[in-house]
């Protein structure tokens, strides 16, 4: 009798795993979106397409590993967003699920991030060396008498360096608003995800800002510049320790990370993750 085992997923596994996730994890997400998780456009060459549990030549479990190479204040670093963790019910409680988790986060040069982990999963990954990335954010409502300070919008892509242009291009077609903000230090690429949350309030979730100082000095000005309807939401780690002047609120599901190569929480933005590929919103 065969035993289930964990192995890296390859290209030939994309279709059966996408079907598994659509059928058993979330039927509301079309198969073609599940395929994106296994064959995302950001994956550096030579890396697995996730990790799966196989039994009798069929997948019965999976965990997504969505890799990206990103510029940081320390130079280029590799990140991996962990997502789509699923195991068929008959295999739960056997230990194979923990083996799947460990296999998916074994690279010592990679900072692992999970932005959508359920609370039960969070308890498991804490034991694997993860820390809370952020559990609070600030919400900025545009002022009645708007004052953008020195900030201005630009359409001149030539103001951006090659890394920023690549980041913007990587997120085209994923429902992300990309703008160039000038007037406070170097020109900064800012990426925002527009989603409705709570009482149908339009949230402009800040995913990335190319100049961290802009957020430290001008968060409210940025809200006045970018938000026509709704609010600008910024994770607390990007703001001054005493707060940026917005309304503080808890993030419903804390974000987690396990850093490598000198990475700190402030270096981890909200790009290159599973929810964007699936067309979902972050909690």
């Amino acid at each position: 009798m065969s035993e289930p085992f964990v192995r890296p997923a390859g290209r030939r596994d994309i279709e059966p795993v996408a079907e598994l996730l659509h059928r058993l994890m979330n039927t509301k997400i079309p198969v073609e979106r599940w395929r994106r998780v296994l064959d995302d456009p950001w994956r550096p060459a030579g890396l697995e397409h996730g990790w799966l549990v196989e039994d009798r030549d069929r997948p019965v479990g999976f965990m997504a590993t969505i890799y990206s190479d990103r510029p940081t204040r320390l130079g280029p670093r590799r990140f991996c967003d962990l997502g789509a963790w699923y195991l068929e019910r008959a295999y739960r409680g056997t230990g194979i699920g923990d083996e799947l988790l460990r296999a998916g986060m074994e690279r010592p040069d990679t900072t692992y991030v999970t932005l959508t982990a359920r609370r039960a999963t969070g308890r498991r990954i804490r034991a694997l060396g993860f820390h809370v990335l952020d559990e609070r954010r600030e919400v900025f409502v545009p002022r009645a008498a708007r004052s953008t300070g020195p900030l201005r919008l630009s359409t001149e892509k030539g103001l951006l360096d090659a890394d920023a242009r690549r980041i913007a291009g990587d997120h085209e077609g994923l429902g992300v608003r990309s703008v160039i903000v000038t007037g406070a230090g170097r020109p900064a690429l800012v990426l925002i995800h527009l989603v409705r949350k709570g009482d149908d309030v339009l949230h402009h979730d800040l995913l990335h800002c190319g100049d961290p100082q802009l957020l430290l000095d001008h968060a409210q000005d940025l809200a006045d510049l970018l938000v026509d309807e709704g609010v600008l939401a910024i994770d607390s780690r990007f703001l001054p320790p005493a707060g940026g002047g917005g309304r503080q609120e808890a993030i419903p599901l804390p974000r987690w990370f396990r850093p490598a190569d000198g990475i700190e929480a402030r270096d981890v933005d909200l790009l290159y993750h599973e929810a964007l590929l699936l067309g979902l919103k972050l909690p």
Side-chain angles (χ1 to χ4, degrees), residues 202-219:
L202 184 62
H203 277 62
H204 297 61
D205 285 344
L206 187 128
L207 305 181
H208 170 83
C209 178
D211 181 4
Q213 195 64 40
L214 187 155
L215 300 180
L216 293 173
D217 296 339
H218 297 288

Side-chain angles (χ1 to χ4, degrees), residues 10 53 98 120 135 140 172 185 188 221 264 267:
V53 179
D98 289 331
E135 51 191 351
F140 295 84
E172 286 182 359
D221 293 337
E264 300 175 3
D267 302 312

